[in-house]
């Protein structure tokens, strides 16, 4: 029959509704599925029929008839049912049933009816037991199932035996043919010398480099059109040539990293919804969507490749191909970590940034020092450049979970990265904003009462414009930023307090104390009292190192100098401890701790000048001057700068510049109580020694202090020294690079002056003798050392 159905035209398709077209497509798919399902059912029935026919031994039809007739006779004898009582129709029906093909596929020994249905709960073992056994006297021959024959009686299966071939003979023939083919077609590979192998490897490497460069330049020139080449470049991460695989994979990793840094947009790409996919868009929009989708998928696959490389190296697991050795995997893993660190810092706004954080943070605690430093530096850089706080919050959460999951057994560097969070600045801005009065807009009732209709109209337009300007000025909501920073700081303090409570003897304690010293002014006032008690107990225990005790003192005074002013806590024990341990510092290993001491002194005296007595200030001034004699020059400069601040803050410090004693008592330098050592009865004789110091800055500060630290006049310091804090001067004149700052002037050797007249400084008689001696010819005579002894004996 000819198909008269015409294909609908394009114009008709346009007129047809989309729902109708979708329904037609669904109906067509449903018909195809139904036809396929029906075909599979028929094939399954056919296979089952063939399988049952093979597994059971069929009986000939004649025997079936004889058996059936015999059974009928037996039933007649038992039931005494004569044949004349049966109708002719019944006899005919029985004969028809005996001729049907179902007798071939059923067990004739059973008394079940022909058309009985299969029982759903029939036991499988019973069905298996019904199959007749065969003796395994000879090996079973393989059968090939042919297409069955269907006649008027039903389906007759067809099989044939599989012909057995002589396998050994065939293999010999195959090998002979292969050898002949190799002899005719292929020549033996030439054996290359080491020089030729190196040249061949160099050539392959150059080809791969050129290919990588061509793909990268094509992608960078037109990212929208060449997004498929990104996939081709990523496929080179699976380089299989063992001679160049390691270098090629490293080059591809770095190249892809730089490409993604260049072509990734400055926003996060979200997946399209079903409604957005269904809507019709412009060609440019569709092209942009395809580019974004391809970019995100390739970026995801690239990150998965980097992750798999690191996992294989960590688990010491080789691939099946064995293209790269286990030693080379370490270099690959280092490059992969470096790429992840670069992407962590460069693309904090893009997709899968949280996945990169989850990969990088555990590597901060890696056994390899290089990888650990790489990851820590990347996280520090991320903290420093993160202005809003989303990325910082994600990293802090993962670090807190890592510290808790490892039971506080991590490197101290992992916690030290918290010191680079940009939270202190935002909190200070927040305080100033709270103090500033906010602009208030008029309500509707106030406008109605005080303004006319035209004025209300103008005021409405002005308020709308002002709101738009305020939204344009604030690139990010300050409230949102403050909320993020508050949540981040809460997680940091929870981590610190857990370590103070559960792991006081952990190596993480110095990092915790250092972090508390930095963020102590942001802690809630409710925790101040308990925290000061904990810090004092740590110092009194004696288990801390000197640097750790200094961090405890710094943390306590940060707490007390901020919101802690309202608390009634006496910090005298912290003053005493610092005064007692100042002489633990020297020019050797503890010289770097002087920076923390200078910070402590700034908080203890400059920011708490009203709470410090004169006796305490005099005692610290005297002990610091003594300390400046036996430390490095940069430490001496920092200490003298602190002494200058003390002399300017406290008015009666010039007592120590006079030899006359004030009051009763004698100065007791060995006493560890600054209030009772009678420092007013001594003098700063150390400044005279420091005036002869080899470092010019130390000499300058010593002369300035001897003059009474004036702010004006000839003895005043220049502005570049007077306006810099002590800690900054300590860093500026540091000798870590084994160089002097300022450099020591080189000593030039003096030239010998040449005089035209030799007799300028010689007498006339001496000059004559010299000329006479030079003009005479000297004759060498034998020397007699005992001549004067002989002459004395003769006389």
């Amino acid at each position: 029959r000819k198909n008269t159905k015409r294909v609908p035209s394009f114009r008709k398709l346009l007129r047809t509704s989309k729902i109708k077209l979708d329904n037609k497509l669904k109906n067509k798919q449903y018909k195809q599925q139904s036809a396929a399902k029906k075909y599979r059912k028929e094939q399954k029935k056919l296979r089952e029929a063939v399988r049952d026919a093979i597994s059971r031994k069929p009986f000939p039809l004649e025997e079936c008839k004889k058996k059936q007739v015999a059974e009928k006779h037996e039933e007649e004898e038992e039931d005494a049912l004569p044949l004349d009582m049966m109708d002719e129709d019944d006899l005919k029906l029985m004969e028809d049933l005996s001729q049907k093909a179902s007798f071939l596929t059923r067990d004739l020994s059973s008394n079940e009816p022909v058309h009985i249905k299969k029982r759903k709960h029939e036991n499988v073992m019973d069905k298996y037991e019904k199959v007749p056994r065969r003796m395994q006297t000879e090996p079973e021959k393989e059968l090939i199932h042919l297409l069955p024959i269907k006649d008027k009686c039903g389906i007759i299966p067809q099989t044939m035996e599989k012909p057995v071939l002589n396998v050994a003979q065939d293999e010999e023939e195959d090998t002979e043919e292969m050898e002949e083919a190799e002899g005719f077609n292929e020549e033996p590979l030439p054996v290359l010398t080491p020089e030729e192998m190196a040249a061949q490897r160099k050539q392959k490497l150059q080809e791969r480099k050129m290919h990588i460069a061509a793909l990268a330049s094509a992608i960078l020139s037109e990212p929208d059109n060449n997004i498929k080449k990104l996939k081709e470049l990523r496929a080179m991460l699976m380089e299989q040539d063992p001679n160049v695989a390691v270098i090629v994979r490293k080059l591809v990793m770095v190249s892809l990293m730089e490409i993604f840094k260049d072509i990734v947009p400055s926003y996060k790409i979200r997946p399209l919804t079903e409604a957005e996919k269904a809507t019709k868009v412009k060609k440019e929009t569709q092209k942009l969507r395809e580019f974004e989708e391809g970019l995100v998928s390739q970026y995801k696959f690239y990150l998965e490749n980097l992750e798999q490389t690191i996992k294989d190296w960590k688990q010491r697991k080789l691939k099946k191909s064995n293209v790269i050795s286990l030693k080379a995997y370490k270099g690959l893993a280092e490059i992969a970590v470096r790429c992840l660190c670069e992407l962590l810092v460069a693309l904090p706004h893009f997709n899968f940034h949280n996945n990169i954080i989850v990969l990088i943070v555990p590597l901060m605690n890696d056994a390899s020092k290089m990888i650990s430093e790489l990851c820590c530096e990347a996280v520090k850089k991320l903290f420093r450049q993160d202005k809003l706080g989303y990325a910082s919050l994600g990293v802090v959460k993962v670090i807190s979970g890592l510290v808790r999951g490892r039971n506080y057994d991590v490197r101290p560097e992992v916690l030290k990265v918290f010191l680079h969070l940009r939270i202190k600045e935002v909190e200070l801005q927040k305080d100033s904003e709270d103090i500033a009065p906010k602009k208030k807009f008029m309500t509707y009732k106030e406008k109605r009462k005080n303004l006319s209709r035209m004025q209300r109209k103008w005021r409405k337009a002005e308020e709308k414009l002002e709101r738009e300007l305020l939204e344009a000025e604030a690139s990010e909501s300050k409230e949102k930023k403050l909320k993020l920073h508050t949540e981040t700081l809460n997680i940091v303090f929870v981590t610190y307090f857990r370590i103070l409570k559960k792991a006081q003897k952990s190596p993480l304690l110095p990092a915790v104390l250092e972090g508390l010293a930095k963020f102590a002014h942001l802690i809630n006032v409710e925790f101040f009292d308990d925290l000061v008690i904990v810090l004092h107990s740590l110092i009194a225990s004696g288990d801390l190192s000197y640097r750790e005790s200094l961090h405890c003192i710094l943390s306590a005074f940060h707490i007390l100098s901020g919101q802690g002013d309202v608390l009634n806590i006496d910090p005298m024990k912290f003053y005493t401890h610092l005064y007692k341990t100042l002489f633990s510092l020297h020019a050797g290993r503890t010289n770097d701790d002087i920076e923390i001491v200078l910070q402590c002194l700034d908080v203890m005296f400059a920011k708490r000048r009203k709470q410090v007595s004169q006796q305490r200030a005099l005692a610290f001034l005297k002990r610091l001057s003594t300390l400046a004699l036996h430390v490095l020059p940069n430490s001496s400069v920092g200490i003298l700068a602190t002494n200058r601040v003390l002399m300017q803050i406290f008015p009666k410090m010039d007592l120590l510049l006079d030899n006359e004693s004030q009051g009763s008592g004698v100065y007791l330098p060995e006493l560890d109580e600054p209030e009772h050592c009678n420092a007013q009865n001594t003098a700063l004789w150390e400044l005279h020694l420091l005036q002869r110091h080899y470092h010019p800055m130390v000499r300058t500060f010593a002369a300035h202090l001897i003059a009474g630290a004036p702010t004006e006049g000839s003895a005043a310091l220049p502005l570049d020294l007077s306006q810099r804090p002590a800690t900054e001067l300590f860093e500026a004149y540091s000798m870590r690079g084994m160089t002097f700052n300022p450099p020591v002037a080189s000593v030039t050797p003096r030239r010998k002056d040449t005089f035209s007249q030799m007799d300028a400084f010689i007498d006339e008689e001496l000059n004559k003798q010299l000329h006479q001696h030079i003009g005479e010819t000297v004759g060498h005579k034998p020397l007699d050392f005992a001549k004067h002894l002989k002459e004395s004996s003769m006389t």
Side-chain angles (χ1 to χ4, degrees):
R1 184 183 173 185
K2 188 176 179 181
N3 188 9
T4 57
K5 191 174 181 180
R6 295 179 62 187
V7 178
S9 64
F10 181 71
R11 190 175 298 278
K12 189 175 180 182
L13 283 174
L14 285 177
R15 287 199 302 269
T16 310
S17 67
K18 188 177 179 183
I19 298 173
K20 190 172 182 181
L21 291 174
D22 290 342
N23 290 338
K24 283 185 177 181
L25 182 62
K26 287 178 183 177
N27 291 337
K28 186 177 179 182
Q29 291 174 354
Y30 178 73
K31 286 180 181 178
Q32 291 175 355
Q33 291 173 0
S34 301
K37 193 173 181 182
K38 188 176 180 182
Y39 176 74
R40 285 196 298 272
K41 282 185 179 180
E42 290 178 357
Q43 293 294 321
K44 186 177 179 181
K45 287 181 181 178
L46 186 61
R47 286 194 298 271
E48 287 178 357
V50 172
R51 197 181 301 116
D52 291 342
I54 292 167
S55 62
R56 296 172 184 173
K57 187 176 179 182
F59 294 94
L61 275 175
E62 292 79 8
E63 293 182 8
C64 293
K65 289 178 181 178
K66 289 177 183 177
K67 191 173 181 180
Q68 194 171 2
V69 171
E71 287 177 357
K72 284 181 182 179
H73 286 304
E74 289 175 4
E75 289 175 0
E76 287 173 1
E77 290 175 1
E78 290 176 2
D79 300 336
L81 185 65
L83 286 173
D84 53 357
M85 291 182 67
M86 294 183 68
D87 296 335
E88 293 181 0
D89 296 336
D90 294 336
L91 287 173
K92 190 174 182 182
L93 179 63
M94 292 296 294
E95 289 174 1
D96 291 342
L97 287 173
S98 66
Q99 294 295 327
K100 283 194 175 181
S102 61
F103 278 78
L104 289 170
T105 58
R106 68 184 283 264
D107 189 3
L108 299 178
S109 61
S110 65
N111 295 325
E112 293 178 357
V114 179
H115 300 290
I116 189 170
K117 293 182 179 179
K118 291 184 179 180
R119 295 173 186 152
K120 292 182 181 179
H121 56 276
E122 184 180 8
N123 195 356
V124 180
M125 294 301 296
D126 296 341
K127 186 178 179 182
Y128 178 77
E129 289 295 334
K130 290 177 183 178
V131 179
R133 270 66 169 170
R134 291 180 182 176
M135 296 296 291
Q136 296 287 344
T137 53
E138 57 183 25
E140 291 186 4
K141 296 181 179 179
E142 274 193 76
L143 297 175
I144 300 174
H145 301 292
L146 304 177
L147 291 173
I149 300 171
K150 186 175 181 181
D151 59 357
K152 61 181 181 179
C153 299
I155 297 172
I156 302 172
Q158 299 290 317
T159 58
M160 65 174 290
E161 293 181 3
K162 188 176 181 180
V164 180
L165 301 174
N166 192 353
V167 180
Q169 186 177 356
D170 290 344
E171 287 180 357
E172 289 177 1
E173 290 176 0
D174 292 340
T175 51
E176 288 177 2
E177 289 176 1
M178 290 290 290
E179 287 174 359
E180 289 176 2
E182 287 176 359
F184 283 110
N185 298 332
E186 296 184 4
E187 297 179 357
L189 292 172
V191 179
L192 299 176
T193 61
E195 291 81 5
E196 292 174 347
M197 290 175 67
Q200 188 179 10
R201 179 179 177 276
K202 188 176 180 181
Q203 184 182 358
K204 285 182 181 178
L205 196 58
Q206 189 65 26
E207 291 175 359
R208 301 291 196 284
K209 285 181 180 179
M210 294 299 293
H211 189 48
I212 293 170
L215 289 174
S217 60
I219 294 166
L220 291 174
S221 60
E222 288 183 321
D224 300 346
N225 300 327
N226 296 322
I227 196 67
K228 292 183 179 178
K229 292 188 177 180
L230 200 60
K231 183 179 180 182
E232 185 180 350
L233 183 59
R234 190 180 58 80
M236 294 183 72
L237 284 172
M238 300 294 116
E239 177 66 44
Q240 297 299 320
D241 192 345
N243 293 327
V244 294
V246 178
I247 298 179
V248 169
R249 292 188 185 187
K250 288 181 180 180
L251 291 173
V252 174
M253 281 181 189
V254 177
S255 302
L256 282 170
M257 181 259 295
E258 293 294 339
I259 288 170
F260 281 122
K261 283 168 64 176
D262 283 344
I263 68 173
V264 159
S266 59
Y267 54 87
K268 188 174 182 179
I269 299 172
R270 62 172 181 81
L272 298 175
T273 61
E274 293 296 329
E276 288 174 340
K277 289 179 182 178
T279 55
K280 291 183 179 180
V281 292
K282 295 180 180 179
K283 288 183 179 179
E284 292 81 4
T285 309
Q286 185 63 28
K287 187 177 180 182
L288 180 62
R289 285 182 178 180
E290 291 174 358
F291 165 72
E292 289 178 347
E293 187 177 354
L295 179 64
V296 170
S297 64
Q298 293 303 319
Y299 186 60
K300 178 186 174 185
F301 292 142
Y302 172 63
L303 293 179
E304 287 174 352
N305 287 332
L306 296 181
E307 181 186 7
Q308 192 60 43
T309 303
I310 296 170
K311 280 185 178 178
D312 291 342
W313 171 64
K314 296 289 287 181
Q315 297 171 1
R316 303 293 189 269
K317 188 168 67 177
L318 283 175
K319 298 292 184 184
K320 293 180 181 178
S321 57
N322 289 330
V323 175
I324 298 176
S325 64
L326 198 60
K327 290 182 180 179
Y329 250 104
K330 184 181 179 183
L332 274 178
E334 289 174 358
I335 297 295
V337 171
R338 198 179 294 272
C339 293
L340 285 172
C341 291
E342 288 284 336
L343 295 173
L344 177 76
V345 177
L347 306 176
H349 60 279
F350 197 58
N351 302 49
F352 311 113
H353 190 256
N354 289 334
N355 303 71
I356 299 176
I357 291 172
V358 173
L359 282 174
I360 289 293
V361 169
L363 293 175
M364 293 167 66
N365 193 39
D366 195 75
S368 174
K369 188 177 180 182
M370 192 191 77
I371 289 179
S372 176
E373 288 178 355
L374 263 177
C375 298
C376 289
E377 286 299 322
V379 173
K380 289 176 186 177
K381 198 172 179 183
L382 179 67
F383 283 164
R384 284 193 291 266
Q385 74 178 23
D386 186 22
K387 295 180 180 178
L388 183 59
Y390 280 116
S392 300
L393 178 60
V395 174
V396 167
K397 282 182 178 178
V398 180
I399 290 176
S400 178
L402 175 72
V403 173
R404 192 176 180 183
R406 297 284 178 89
N407 198 16
Y408 312 105
D409 184 19
V410 295
R411 288 171 173 259
E413 289 80 8
V414 177
L415 280 185
K416 284 183 180 178
V417 297
F418 288 162
L419 300 174
H420 298 269
L421 286 167
R422 296 184 59 179
I423 295 178
K424 187 176 180 181
E425 303 169 357
V426 176
E427 291 293 331
L428 292 175
Q429 290 176 4
K430 173 237 173 186
D431 294 340
S432 62
E433 287 165 10
D434 287 347
I435 295 168
K438 295 182 179 179
K439 188 173 179 66
K440 187 180 178 182
F441 295 106
M442 294 178 68
T443 61
Y444 179 74
K445 287 184 178 179
E446 290 174 350
K447 291 177 186 175
R448 189 75 181 263
K449 184 178 179 181
N450 301 324
L451 302 176
S452 64
R453 186 176 180 184
M454 186 59 68
Q455 286 174 335
R456 287 199 300 270
K457 188 175 181 181
W458 279 102
R459 180 59 65 89
K460 186 177 180 181
E462 286 177 1
E463 288 180 358
K464 184 180 178 183
L465 182 60
E466 284 179 6
R467 287 193 183 96
E468 289 177 357
L469 288 173
L470 287 173
E471 290 176 0
E473 283 177 6
S475 57
E476 293 290 344
S477 173
K478 293 181 181 178
E479 294 179 0
K480 188 188 297 183
K481 185 188 294 186
L482 181 61
K483 187 177 178 182
L484 287 171
H485 285 176
T486 306
E487 188 177 353
T488 304
L489 201 62
N490 287 340
I491 297 170
V492 170
F493 282 138
V494 165
T495 307
Y496 285 164
F497 293 157
R498 277 179 187 156
I499 295 170
L500 281 175
K501 185 179 179 181
K502 298 181 180 178
Q504 288 190 356
K505 295 186 178 180
S506 168
L508 300 177
L509 191 61
V512 171
L513 295 173
E514 196 171 351
L516 285 174
K518 181 172 182 181
F519 301 116
H521 62 288
L522 304 174
I523 303 175
N524 196 345
V525 184
E526 298 173 359
F527 302 111
F528 279 5
D529 200 2
D530 296 333
L531 193 55
V532 170
I533 293 170
V534 169
L535 293 174
H536 182 256
S537 64
L538 285 172
I539 292 174
S541 66
D543 297 332
L544 303 181
S545 66
Y546 184 63
R547 191 180 183 89
E548 293 170 5
S549 65
L550 289 177
H551 281 306
C552 281
I553 295 170
L554 188 59
S555 303
F557 278 100
H558 271 304
I559 291 170
L560 296 175
S561 61
Q563 304 174 45
D565 287 337
V566 297
L567 300 177
N568 189 15
I569 298 174
D570 183 19
M572 184 60 200
K573 45 199 171 185
F574 295 107
Y575 280 102
T576 305
H577 181 77
L578 181 62
Y579 182 80
K580 181 172 61 177
T581 58
L582 271 178
F583 284 148
S584 302
L585 300 166
H586 51 76
R589 182 171 50 87
T590 59
N591 187 71
D592 291 338
D593 297 340
I594 292 180
E595 185 178 6
I596 309 172
V597 172
L598 296 176
Q599 294 175 14
C600 291
L601 291 169
D602 181 53
V603 181
M604 293 163 72
F605 289 97
K607 296 181 180 178
R608 293 176 59 86
R609 63 186 73 181
K610 293 181 180 180
Q611 290 89 353
V612 178
S613 65
Q614 183 183 351
Q615 293 293 331
R616 196 182 305 173
L618 287 169
F620 269 93
L621 181 62
K622 175 62 180 175
R623 184 155 286 198
L624 287 172
S625 300
T626 309
L627 179 64
L629 291 173
H630 53 271
V631 290
L632 291 180
N634 62 327
S635 303
S636 297
V637 171
I639 290 170
L640 293 176
T642 304
N643 286 354
R644 175 178 175 270
V645 173
L646 289 176
M647 292 179 74
Q648 289 178 349
I649 289 175
F650 298 97
K652 295 184 179 181
M653 292 294 106
D654 54 354
L655 293 174
L656 300 181
L657 299 176
D658 194 359
N659 289 334
E660 296 180 3
S661 60
Q662 300 288 330
S664 62
V666 181
Y667 174 58
L668 303 173
E670 71 278 358
L671 192 65
D672 292 333
E673 292 291 335
E675 296 283 351
H676 308 292
C677 65
N678 299 323
Q680 73 276 4
N681 293 325
T682 184
L684 295 178
W685 52 266
E686 295 90 356
L687 296 177
H688 290 278
L689 294 177
L690 292 170
Q691 266 190 313
R692 296 172 177 82
H693 200 276
Y694 65 88
H695 199 279
M697 287 298 111
V698 178
R699 293 198 299 268
T700 304
F701 270 95
H704 174 68
L705 293 178
I706 286 175
T711 55
E712 295 178 353
S714 59
L717 287 177
L719 287 176
D720 60 332
L721 294 178
S722 61
Q723 293 181 353
R724 295 165 79 181
T727 52
E728 188 177 336
L729 290 168
F730 174 83
E731 287 292 332
Y733 296 104
S734 176
M735 299 176 64
R736 288 174 187 165
M738 300 305 291
T739 56
F740 287 103
N741 183 18
V744 178
S746 59
V747 180
T748 56
R750 293 179 179 177
R751 286 191 313 171
K752 292 183 178 179
D753 297 329
T754 56
F755 298 99
S756 57
Q757 297 178 354
M758 290 183 63
D759 55 352
F761 302 101
I762 305 176
D763 293 340
E764 293 181 1
E765 294 181 2
L766 184 59
N767 196 8
K768 288 178 182 179
Q769 290 179 8
L770 284 174
H771 281 295
Q772 185 180 356
H773 180 72
I774 292 170
E776 292 178 356
T777 57
V778 181
H780 295 283
K781 299 177 181 179
L783 298 175
D784 189 3
F785 294 101
K787 182 179 179 180
H788 65 286
L789 296 174
K790 292 176 183 179
E791 291 176 354
S792 62
S793 62
M794 288 177 68
T795 55

